[in-house]
Amino acid sequence: MSDWQLVGHDGDVKPGQIVRVMVDGEPVALANVDGELLAIGDICSHEYVELHEGWMEGDEVECPMHGSKFSLRDGCPRGLPATKPVPAYEVKLDGGDIYIRGPVKAA
């Protein structure tokens, strides 16, 4: 597991928004779910597609290519065609800064 890495500041990710950040050189999808910051690997496990380009609904993101859905909490797939999870990351807010480390649950 990596050390905590600064990836942004409070307010950078608005409620209902998902953005791409980099952690240890890996793309990570950082989402704001009703004020809670959650992060998973940004690349769909079914096809090499960036999940931050998809659609959020509740605590799920839908891949824009084939419609696979993933939990933003643990990276587990919630809809076919994906059957493998994506990595999940820890997120913390400290002094107005957003930090991520992980993955805490590898794909």
Side-chain angles (χ1 to χ4, degrees):
M1 180 184 320
S2 69
D3 292 330
W4 290 103
Q5 294 182 32
L6 177 66
V7 297
H9 306 285
D10 191 21
D12 286 351
V13 187
K14 308 290 185 234
Q17 184 181 25
I18 186 167
V19 299
R20 182 183 192 192
V21 298
M22 299 299 287
V23 176
D24 288 334
E26 296 294 323
V28 173
L30 174 62
N32 184 327
V33 179
D34 298 324
E36 181 181 10
L37 296 172
L38 303 170
I40 60 173
D42 192 35
I43 305 301
C44 179
S45 63
H46 172 250
E47 292 285 339
Y48 191 84
V49 178
E50 297 173 342
L51 293 174
H52 80 275
E53 296 287 337
W55 304 274
M56 276 182 53
E57 185 173 331
D59 66 352
E60 294 181 344
V61 61
E62 182 176 330
C63 177
M65 181 160 290
H66 295 116
S68 295
K69 293 182 181 181
F70 296 89
S71 166
L72 289 163
R73 297 187 180 282
D74 61 14
C76 289
R78 291 191 176 166
L80 295 172
T83 58
K84 296 179 184 175
V86 295
Y89 292 78
E90 283 185 277
V91 182
K92 74 175 179 179
L93 199 58
D94 185 19
D97 293 326
I98 301 170
Y99 293 90
I100 295 179
R101 76 171 173 185
V104 293
K105 180 181 174 191

